C-alpha cells in the first residue's frame, strides 16, 4: 500500500494542471454503441483532488437493463427512474468546466456523449483523464488494470463493486494520491481531448424497458453511423511497432477480441491518426491490439508465430495520443 501525505500544496502544484475534476462512473446495459446508461455518479474534486460534493442517479434506459448480475439494477428498480433527458442538465452542471476522470475513461466518455447526442445536446466536457493511463505514467506496481487493484494499492476499501456511486467514490479516493504523486514528480497528466458526438440517428423504436424483443435482450434501437468502406491509408507501412517508441503513421494495426470501446469508434480513431486498420494478421502487421493475449484466436496465434508486437486496449489508446508523422 502506498501512502502519500499532504505536503504537495498549491504553491508547488504544476501550473498546467487543471483546476477541477469530475470523477465519473456509469453503469450500462452493455458495451455496444447502442447500449444505454442505467446509473451515473459524479464526485467533484478541486485542483488538489479534494472532494467537493457527490451526486448519483438511476436512469431508465427505456429497454432491458442488460447484465443485472453485474450492476444489480432490475427492470422493476429502473422503471420509475428518470429518463436521461430529465437528468441531462444536472449531469452537465456536474461536469461543466472540469476534466472528466474515469477508470477506462474513453468508455465512460463515449457512453455519456452518446446519451447527450440522443437527447440532441452535448456534454460540456473538453478533456478526460483515464486513471489506467495515469497509473502507467506513474509506473504503479499493479498486477492488472482493474479498479480493485488500483484501490488496493492505495488502501481504499471497495464496498459495492459495479455500483456507480461506490465505484466513483473508490476512484476519487484513489485518484487523489495519484494526482499528488504526479505533482510531486512533475509527471504530465495524460489528458485527452473530448469531442462532442453529433452523428446520432434514431432508428425504429424497440420494446421499452421490461419488454424483451423476440431475440432476447439484444437490441439495436439506434445506429451510431452507417457502415462504410474505409479509405486506403495514404502513408506507406514503416514496419513493426517497437516498444517504448511511438506509433508511426502508416503502421498496420489489427484488433482481436472484445474491446471496452466500441470497435468502430476505436478503428475510427486509428484511421484519424493516419494508421491502417488491418482485417487480419500477416507478416506485414505492425501491431495487434487485444485485451486477451492468451486467447487462441487466429489473430493472436498468427501474431505470436510472426513475432508481431501485442498490446492491450488501454496501452493502445495511450499510444494514439502521440503518433509520429510518416517518413518523408
Amino acid at each position: 500500500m502506498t501512502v502519500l501525505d499532504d505536503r504537495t500544496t498549491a504553491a508547488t502544484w504544476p501550473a498546467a494542471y487543471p483546476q477541477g475534476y469530475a470523477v465519473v462512473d456509469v453503469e450500462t446495459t452493455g458495451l455496444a454503441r447502442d447500449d444505454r446508461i442505467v446509473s451515473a455518479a459524479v464526485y467533484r474534486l478541486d485542483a488538489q483532488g479534494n472532494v467537493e460534493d457527490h451526486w448519483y442517479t438511476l436512469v431508465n434506459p427505456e429497454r432491458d437493463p442488460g447484465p443485472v448480475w453485474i450492476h444489480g439494477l432490475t427492470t422493476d428498480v429502473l422503471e420509475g427512474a428518470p429518463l436521461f433527458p430529465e437528468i441531462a442538465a444536472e449531469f452537465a452542471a456536474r461536469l461543466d468546466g472540469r476534466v472528466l476522470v474515469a477508470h477506462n475513461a474513453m468508455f465512460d466518455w463515449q457512453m455519456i456523449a452518446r446519451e447527450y447526442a440522443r437527447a440532441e445536446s452535448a456534454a460540456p466536457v473538453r478533456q478526460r483523464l483515464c486513471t489506467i493511463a495515469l497509473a502507467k505514467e506513474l509506473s504503479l506496481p499493479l498486477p492488472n488494470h482493474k479498479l480493485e487493484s488500483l484501490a488496493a494499492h492505495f488502501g481504499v476499501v471497495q464496498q459495492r463493486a459495479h455500483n456507480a456511486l461506490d465505484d466513483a467514490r473508490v476512484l476519487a479516493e484513489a485518484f487523489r494520491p495519484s494526482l499528488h504523486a504526479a505533482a510531486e514528480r512533475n509527471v504530465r497528466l495524460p489528458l485527452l481531448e473530448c469531442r462532442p458526438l453529433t452523428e446520432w440517428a434514431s432508428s425504429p423504436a424497440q420494446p421499452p424497458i421490461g419488454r424483451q424483443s423476440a431475440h432476447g435482450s439484444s437490441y439495436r434501437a439506434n445506429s451510431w453511423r452507417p457502415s462504410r468502406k474505409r479509405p486506403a491509408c495514404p502513408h506507406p507501412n514503416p514496419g513493426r511497432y517497437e516498444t517504448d517508441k511511438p506509433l508511426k503513421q502508416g503502421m498496420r494495426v489489427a484488433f482481436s477480441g472484445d474491446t471496452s470501446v466500441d470497435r468502430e469508434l476505436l478503428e475510427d480513431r486509428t484511421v484519424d491518426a493516419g494508421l491502417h486498420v488491418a482485417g487480419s494478421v500477416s507478416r506485414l502487421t505492425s501491431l495487434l491490439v487485444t485485451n486477451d493475449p492468451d486467447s487462441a484466436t487466429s489473430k493472436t496465434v498468427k501474431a505470436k508465430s510472426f513475432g508481431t508486437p501485442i498490446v492491450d486496449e488501454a496501452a493502445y489508446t495511450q499510444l494514439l495520443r502521440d503518433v509520429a508523422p510518416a517518413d518523408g
Side-chain angles (χ1 to χ4, degrees):
M1 180 181 75
T2 298
V3 178
L4 297 176
D5 59 29
D6 295 324
R7 288 177 294 178
T8 304
T9 65
T12 60
W13 213 258
Y17 276 33
Q19 293 303 301
Y21 304 89
V23 178
V24 174
D25 185 75
V26 297
E27 296 300 318
T28 66
T29 61
L31 303 178
R33 64 191 179 209
D34 60 352
D35 275 300
R36 306 295 301 272
I37 291 175
V38 294
S39 65
V42 181
Y43 269 73
R44 289 195 290 192
L45 312 181
D46 66 14
Q48 280 73 47
N50 301 306
V51 174
E52 296 177 332
D53 59 29
H54 64 268
W55 172 80
Y56 171 76
T57 185
L58 297 176
V59 182
N60 185 332
E62 302 181 89
R63 52 153 286 180
D64 183 85
V68 174
W69 58 93
I70 294 178
H71 53 60
L73 300 175
T74 64
T75 295
D76 290 342
V77 170
L78 295 172
E79 190 168 11
L83 303 179
F84 188 85
E86 296 172 335
I87 59 95
E90 177 67 16
F91 200 175
R94 301 278 167 175
L95 301 173
D96 196 14
R98 297 169 184 267
V99 172
L100 185 152
V101 178
H103 203 65
N104 195 356
M106 189 172 182
F107 171 76
D108 291 78
W109 161 243
Q110 295 290 1
M111 294 301 298
I112 292 168
R114 291 171 194 159
E115 290 287 8
Y116 275 96
R118 290 187 188 96
E120 299 181 350
S121 183
V125 179
R126 297 295 172 265
Q127 290 182 307
R128 67 179 182 270
L129 188 157
C130 179
T131 47
I132 295 175
L134 181 56
K136 289 186 175 183
E137 293 284 350
L138 295 172
S139 300
L140 299 183
L142 305 179
N144 53 53
H145 301 305
K146 295 180 180 180
L147 177 58
E148 62 188 45
S149 297
L150 182 66
H153 178 76
F154 289 113
V156 180
V157 178
Q158 190 166 25
Q159 298 170 349
R160 296 179 62 192
H162 300 296
N163 170 276
L165 183 59
D166 195 58
D167 280 354
R169 175 193 62 80
V170 168
L171 190 58
E173 292 185 19
F175 175 63
R176 183 170 181 268
S178 298
L179 185 62
H180 280 236
E184 289 172 353
R185 292 156 53 182
N186 200 28
V187 171
R188 185 186 69 165
L189 297 181
L191 300 174
L192 291 176
E193 179 185 4
C194 289
R195 298 179 181 179
L197 306 179
T198 59
E199 301 178 51
W200 188 267
S202 295
S203 294
Q206 292 288 327
I209 183 171
R211 296 188 181 184
Q212 297 280 353
S213 71
H215 301 288
S217 60
S218 177
Y219 283 78
R220 289 294 177 267
N222 298 284
S223 59
W224 177 240
R225 47 170 73 97
S227 298
R228 65 197 187 284
K229 184 177 180 180
R230 299 184 185 280
C233 181
H235 310 294
N237 184 358
R240 288 181 173 173
Y241 164 72
E242 297 180 45
T243 303
D244 297 328
K245 291 186 178 181
L247 295 170
K248 183 175 288 188
Q249 289 182 328
M251 283 186 171
R252 299 176 63 89
V253 181
F255 298 89
S256 178
D258 292 334
T259 52
S260 60
V261 176
D262 182 78
R263 176 69 66 82
E264 185 175 354
L265 295 178
L266 196 56
E267 291 179 354
D268 279 353
R269 291 193 63 205
T270 299
V271 172
D272 289 344
L275 304 168
H276 174 86
V277 175
S280 60
V281 173
S282 71
R283 296 184 185 278
L284 299 177
T285 304
S286 307
L287 181 70
L288 175 66
V289 179
T290 177
N291 289 324
D292 189 7
D294 295 324
S295 66
T297 65
S298 61
K299 289 181 182 178
T300 55
V301 170
K302 287 183 179 179
K304 291 177 180 179
S305 68
F306 296 147
T308 304
I310 300 174
V311 301
D312 63 22
E313 180 184 359
Y316 180 66
T317 56
Q318 294 311 302
L319 288 171
L320 280 177
R321 290 191 300 138
D322 298 300
V323 177
D327 295 329

